[in-house]
Structures are given as structure tokens and as C-alpha cells.
């Protein structure tokens, strides 16, 4: 497959981003991170590192606007044009989340009486894919992540933790997006699901998805990493690795 | 600390609902202070806040049952112009019957408890001018079915039904005419937890399948989190915070919202 995207096209330009929390009940302010800047082009993978509490999840959530950034800019080059996610209107952020920005965590938000395959197909349906086609693709990805066929039409509310996580990954990765944020998606996955995840990520990467991720065992994704940021205070540095060709 | 966001740049549709600076007092009680809200087509706006903060009053204004002392309200619909509070009683009644649906916490407010359930739904269609018996019955049946009401009970009066089924009759009545706007005031409060989940699931399904624009008030943050795209937090008649649902719940900015969210976690 030849990539049909421009490798030099910027996807994300983060400039002097900062985030702190005001905890009113304590009358306290706490800085999570300060003055973070980086650039990400199509198909690039940025690894976030740092000790527990360094602010990795906080940075990912700020990029997705689940957390409100304190200062700085998050310029996202979307298909509609460039927009600063730190200040964009809520409805614009909602729109971009539907088709251009994905967020993968370890946890599935199951809903009562919604089958695994319907849950996985939902992102495709919301982006305009016809029901049957969406379901067919959903089954493909459930299979790829190792969810037993007998569970496809069942409700994930009763699935085991590992099964739910696989459904979650299938749902999060079914729709190729311009920007993908990953918060420890491999934690507690079995080996075959982990391999399926890495395969899918490298496929998405080769098709131009830009990624920012936190991985408990970065070794898992070593071949995908283009650059790293360490958020541990005083280690702040952006190391460029040799560009690894996939 | 209020951070102002940019105006929408990519979403080109106009808001369906625009309420500007609504204020309302009852004697010494100021139930609404300068409340503004914008809701886009297909969006779900959740409203949370302590008891007496003005949530129901705000919904009654949106349902044109109440006229605020100040403020304006418009819906971006064909043939609907200007400030809706300027409409006379007949204009309000027609607009509500045809374009706005409402579900109250207390089914007595929304239903005639002694009439048949199908009759309650059909009544809404009658107000809108439908007279053909077959059409009335068909449409009532479809709306009850879409609300997942057991059709073999459609002739039973709400007084004989369980709380969950009464809410489904209210919902059927509210959606019978495919309203542009659905208002929900504590639709699941007071129901058993398992029934609550089913009603919530029906609402979610309707929202996804019909892309109905909704404003929902609930004390149950789980309900708001499940249904809403955006959330507005009210206190003492005023809006103290609003934002994307996940942001308001995960990174609340106002001290009152922090209390509210942390109390429930
Ligand atoms: N919503 C919040 N409100 C207040 N403080 C928060 C919030 N979210 C995160 N924090 C604080 O911000 C700091 C960074 O947390 P974060 O979860 O980003 O760390 P992390 O690098 O992802 O850590 P880990 O490796 O343990 O996952 C922590 O001190 C955390 O307590
Ligand atoms: N018709 C009325 N006459 C007098 N006072 C009223 C009337 N309606 C509301 N109020 C007062 O206005 C304030 C706001 O009431 P409202 O019912 O809107 O609150 P709410 O946020 O819906 O509360 P809850 O969560 O308890 O339902 C309250 O102090 C209430 O007593
Ligand atoms: Mg983390
Ligand atoms: Mg109320």
C-alpha cells in the first residue's frame, strides 16, 4: 500500500501549553505541566514518558479537550482548516471528535442493551457508513482483537475486563483518524491482542494517522516511535529518534 | 475564572435553540438570573445543579408554560420567527403541540391519569389538528412502540401502570409528532434503578436514531453523563459553568461544580 498523504503535512502544533488544577476545597493550585511545545506530522508517533503523576494522561486529555488547557495553543490541522483546540468552541470539538480525533484508553464505556458489534460499529455509523457495512467491519475487528464469535451480538456489560478492553480497542481503532491519542492501551492485554493492536497502529501510521501515546511497556511499540517527550519535571526535553521507516 | 472560547468556526448550522438572558422572580425568590443557552440541532444539553437552582423554571420557560420577566427565546424552524415569549396563548399552544415535547418527573403533570394511554398520546395529535381515527390510533401506537411501551397495555390508563411505563407514555406523547425539541425534567428520578437504566437506554436510542435535540435536567450525574454532549451547571438561578460533558465532569472549573462532581464520585 502506498501512502496517499503528505508526510510533511503538519497535523498538530503545540505551543507553550500549560495546565494546572485549582482545587477550590483545598484553596490550592497545582501545576500539571508547563510550557510544552512539539510538532507532529502525518504518520508520526510521539511517545510520552515520565514517572507516575508526571502529567502524561493530563496532557493527552488536554489535547482532546477533556481537560481545559490553561495556556498555550494546540493547533490542529483538520480537514476543515486549522483550529486552536485550546480555545475552539465546544461544538467544533465535538465535530472533530466524531471523525478526526480519537482517544484510546484502557476502559470501555459499555451501555446497557447495546451489543458488542453495535458498539464497535458506532463510530463508523456516526461518520456516515451504512449500518450493514459498519457491522461487517465491526465483526472483522472484533475477530482481529480476539473477541470470541459467540460474544459479538452479546452485551459487553457482562464481559470480563479483558474482553471489554478488546471491544474498546476495536471501537477506538475502527475508524482511521487524523490524530489518535493513546493512554496505556496495552495494559493488561494478552499477547495476541497486543500483537493485533501493534499491527493496527502501524497500519494506521502508514496511512497517515499522527499519534501521541503513553505506553506502560514502550518496548511494545518501539518500531513505531519517531520522537519522545519526558514529562518528569526537570527532564523536559524532546529527543528526536532516528526516523524509523515502517 | 472564566475562559472564553472562540465562536464556532466549523459547525455551520445555526443553533436550533437560542435563549438569551432569561430572568424570572417569584416574589423575593430570583429563580432565574440572566440564563442563556444555545443548543445545536441533534445536540443534547444536560443541566445539573442543586435543588431550587432554577432548572425546572428554565425548562418551563422553554416549554412556553412560563414567561420570564426578561429575556428572549427563539427556535430556528421554518415558520417560526422572533421572540417566542411574544406569542399569544394560541400560538404557544400550537407551537408546543407540534414542535416541542416534554417529559416531567411527575407523570400527573404530563398525563391524564384516568384516560387510556393511547388516548393520552392521541390527544397531542388532536390538538395539532389530526381528526382521522385510524391515523390517530396508528400514530399513537407507533410512538408508544418507539418508546418501548408494551403495546398490549396501550388501552390501560396510566394510573394502573408502573412508574417506568408511565414515563414511557409521557415519552410517547412527547415524540408522537416528531418534535424538533425534547425537554426532559428528571425523567428517570423515582424509578427503580433497573427501570431507570431501561428508560435511559430508550432515550439514548431515540436520540441516536432520530437525532432529536434535547435539553435534559437531572440530579443523577450518571444520566447526564450518558446522554449529554454538553453540560450546563446552575446555582441560585444562574449558570456557573458550561462545557463539553466529559470536560465538566473530569475537569470542573467552578468550586460549586467541583463539589457536585466529587460528592458523587
Ligand atoms: N482532574 C484532576 N483534578 C485535579 N488533579 C488532577 C486531575 N487529573 C490529574 N490530576 C493531577 O495531575 C497530576 C498528573 O496526573 P496524570 O494522571 O496526568 O499523571 P500520569 O503521568 O498520567 O501518571 P500515571 O503514570 O500514574 O498514569 C497528578 O498529580 C494528578 O493527581
Ligand atoms: N410557581 C412558583 N411560585 C413561586 N416560587 C416558585 C415557583 N416556581 C419555582 N419557584 C421557586 O423558584 C426557585 C427555583 O425553582 P425550580 O423548581 O426551578 O428549581 P429546580 O432547580 O428545578 O429544583 P429541583 O432540583 O428541586 O427540582 C425555587 O426557590 C422555587 O421555590
Ligand atoms: Mg496516566
Ligand atoms: Mg426541578
Amino acid at each position: 500500500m502506498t501512502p496517499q498523504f503528505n508526510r510533511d503535512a503538519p497535523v498538530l502544533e503545540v505551543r507553550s501549553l500549560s495546565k494546572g488544577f485549582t482545587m477550590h476545597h483545598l484553596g490550592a493550585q497545582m501545576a500539571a505541566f508547563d510550557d510544552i511545545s512539539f510538532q507532529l506530522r502525518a504518520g508520526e508517533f510521539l511517545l510520552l514518558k515520565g514517572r507516575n503523576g508526571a502529567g502524561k494522561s493530563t496532557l493527552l486529555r488536554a489535547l482532546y479537550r477533556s481537560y481545559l488547557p490553561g495556556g498555550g495553543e494546540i493547533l490542529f490541522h483538520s480537514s476543515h482548516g486549522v483550529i486552536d483546540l485550546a480555545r475552539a468552541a465546544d461544538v467544533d470539538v465535538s465535530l472533530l471528535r466524531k471523525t478526526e480525533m480519537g482517544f484510546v484508553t484502557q476502559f470501555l464505556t459499555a451501555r446497557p442493551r447495546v451489543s458488542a458489534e453495535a458498539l464497535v460499529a458506532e463510530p463508523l455509523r456516526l461518520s456516515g457508513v451504512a449500518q450493514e457495512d459498519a457491522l461487517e467491519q465491526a465483526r472483522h475487528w472484533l475477530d482481529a482483537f480476539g473477541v470470541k464469535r459467540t460474544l459479538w451480538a452479546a452485551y459487553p456489560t457482562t464481559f470480563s475486563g479483558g474482553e471489554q478492553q478488546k471491544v474498546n480497542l476495536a471501537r477506538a481503532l475502527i475508524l482511521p483518524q487524523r490524530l489518535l491519542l493513546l493512554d496505556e492501551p496495552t495494559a493488561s492485554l494478552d499477547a495476541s491482542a497486543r500483537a493485533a493492536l501493534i499491527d493496527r497502529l502501524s497500519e494506521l501510521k502508514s496511512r497517515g494517522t499522527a499519534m501521541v501515546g503513553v505506553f506502560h511497556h514502550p518496548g511494545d511499540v518501539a518500531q513505531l516511535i519517531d520522537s519522545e517527550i519526558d514529562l518528569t519535571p526537570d527532564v523536559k526535553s524532546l529527543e528526536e529518534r532516528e526516523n524509523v521507516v515502517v | 475564572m472564566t475562559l472564553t472560547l472562540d465562536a464556532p468556526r466549523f459547525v455551520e448550522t445555526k443553533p436550533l435553540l437560542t435563549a438569551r438572558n432569561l430572568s424570572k422572580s417569584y416574589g423575593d425568590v430570583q429563580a432565574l438570573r440572566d440564563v442563556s443557552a444555545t443548543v445545536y440541532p441533534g445536540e443534547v444539553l444536560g443541566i445539573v445543579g442543586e435543588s431550587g437552582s432554577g432548572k425546572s423554571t428554565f425548562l418551563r420557560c422553554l416549554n412556553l408554560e412560563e414567561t420570564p420577566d426578561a429575556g428572549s427565546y427563539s427556535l430556528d424552524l421554518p415558520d417560526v420567527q422572533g421572540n417566542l415569549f411574544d406569542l399569544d396563548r394560541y400560538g404557544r399552544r400550537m407551537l408546543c403541540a407540534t414542535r416541542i415535547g416534554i417529559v416531567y418527573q411527575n407523570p400527573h403533570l404530563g398525563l391524564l391519569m384516568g384516560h387510556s394511554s393511547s388516548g393520552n398520546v392521541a390527544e397531542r395529535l388532536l390538538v395539532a389538528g389530526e381528526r382521522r381515527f385510524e391515523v390517530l390510533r396508528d400514530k399513537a401506537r407507533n410512538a408508544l412502540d418507539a418508546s418501548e411501551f408494551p403495546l398490549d397495555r396501550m388501552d390501560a390508563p396510566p394510573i394502573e401502570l408502573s412508574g417506568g411505563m408511565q414515563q414511557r407514555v409521557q415519552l410517547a406523547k412527547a415524540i408522537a409528532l416528531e418534535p424538533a425539541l425534547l425537554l426532559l425534567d428528571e425523567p428517570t428520578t423515582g424509578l427503580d434503578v433497573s427501570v431507570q437504566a431501561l428508560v435511559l437506554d430508550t432515550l439514548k436510542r431515540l436520540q441516536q436514531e432520530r437525532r432529536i435535540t434535547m435539553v435534559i435536567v437531572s440530579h443523577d450525574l450518571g444520566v447526564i453523563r450518558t446522554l449529554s454532549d454538553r453540560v450546563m451547571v446552575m446555582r441560585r438561578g444562574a449558570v456557573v459553568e458550561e462545557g463539553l460533558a466529559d470536560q465538566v465532569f473530569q475537569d470542573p472549573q467552578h468550586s460549586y461544580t467541583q463539589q457536585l462532581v466529587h460528592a458523587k464520585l
Side-chain angles (χ1 to χ4, degrees), chain B residues 1-248:
Chain B
M1 185 202 78
T2 38
L3 182 141
T4 21
L5 299 174
D6 296 336
R9 290 182 38 218
F10 297 163
V11 170
E12 282 166 1
T13 48
K14 280 192 276 178
L16 169 73
L17 180 165
T18 308
R20 286 215 178 92
N21 308 102
L22 306 199
S23 291
K24 174 78 187 172
S25 294
Y26 299 103
D28 291 342
V29 178
Q30 192 165 4
L32 295 178
R33 297 166 199 255
D34 249 352
V35 175
S36 297
T38 331
V39 191
Y40 285 79
E43 236 192 342
V44 179
L45 175 69
I47 305 181
V48 295
E50 64 196 0
S51 192
S53 58
K55 306 179 298 293
S56 295
T57 305
F58 183 59
L59 279 202
R60 285 200 308 275
C61 288
L62 297 182
N63 197 41
L64 298 172
E65 291 166 58
E66 189 78 86
T67 306
D69 305 327
S72 68
Y73 169 31
S74 60
L75 289 177
D76 183 44
L77 292 171
D79 314 322
V80 177
Q81 272 109 35
N83 182 357
L84 302 180
F85 296 125
D86 293 339
L87 291 173
D88 61 15
R89 268 181 66 185
Y90 174 77
R92 287 184 185 205
R93 189 168 145 90
M94 286 315 287
L95 185 71
C96 288
T98 56
R99 300 293 171 75
I100 304 176
I102 189 161
V103 174
Y104 301 96
Q105 175 181 351
N106 181 349
H108 288 84
L109 286 175
L111 300 175
L112 296 165
M113 298 303 281
H115 289 54
S116 73
S117 294
S118 53
N120 266 285
V121 180
E123 187 248 4
R124 165 62 55 116
L125 304 160
L126 277 165
V127 173
E130 183 56 63
R131 289 290 178 271
R132 292 163 296 174
F133 180 78
E134 284 307 315
V135 177
L136 285 171
R137 185 146 178 104
D138 269 9
K139 284 201 171 173
R141 172 188 285 272
N142 288 342
L144 283 163
D145 195 29
S147 307
E148 299 176 80
F149 180 88
L151 292 180
D152 56 335
R153 305 293 311 273
M154 69 187 263
D155 294 321
I159 190 101
E160 292 174 8
L161 300 172
S162 69
M165 283 204 249
Q166 291 174 350
Q167 292 311 66
R168 292 180 190 283
V169 179
Q170 279 205 76
L171 189 58
K173 178 177 171 183
I175 63 168
L177 281 168
E178 316 233 329
L181 177 64
L182 181 58
L183 306 171
L184 303 146
D185 195 354
E186 304 276 3
T188 60
T189 310
L191 303 177
D192 286 348
V193 177
S194 61
V195 179
Q196 243 179 42
L198 294 178
V199 172
L200 185 61
D201 183 44
T202 304
L203 287 171
K204 181 92 200 168
R205 191 167 293 194
L206 280 173
Q207 197 270 326
Q208 291 204 330
E209 284 167 6
R210 305 195 177 190
R211 312 291 308 146
I212 305 179
T213 308
M214 297 186 188
V215 181
I216 176 167
V217 168
S218 181
H219 281 281
D220 186 335
L221 299 188
V223 168
I224 297 291
R225 200 193 283 254
T226 307
L227 284 175
S228 312
D229 298 301
R230 277 188 307 122
V231 171
M232 190 162 108
V233 184
M234 290 183 69
R235 190 184 196 204
R236 297 185 189 144
V239 177
V240 296
E241 174 162 2
E242 64 177 303
L244 290 164
D246 56 327
Q247 186 255 293
V248 171

Side-chain angles (χ1 to χ4, degrees), chain A residues 74-119:
Chain A
I74 305 168
L75 301 182
F76 178 50
H77 294 248
S78 81
S79 68
H80 303 267
V82 182
I83 192 162
D84 180 3
L85 294 173
R87 312 189 56 87
D90 292 331
V91 281
D92 282 339
V93 175
S94 288
L95 176 79
L96 295 172
R97 284 178 178 182
K98 282 199 182 96
T99 49
E100 305 194 32
M101 298 165 61
F103 198 154
V104 194
T105 65
Q106 297 175 41
F107 306 106
L108 175 74
T109 325
R111 287 203 307 269
R113 291 204 294 155
V114 180
S115 68
E117 58 191 24
L119 208 57

Side-chain angles (χ1 to χ4, degrees), chain A residues 19 22 24 66 87 92, chain B residues 4 6 9 246 251 253 258:
Chain A
K19 171 66 188 166
T22 306
H24 291 282
S66 292
R87 312 189 56 87
D92 282 339
Chain B
T4 21
D6 296 336
R9 290 182 38 218
D246 56 327
D251 187 21
Q253 305 293 304
Q258 290 189 358

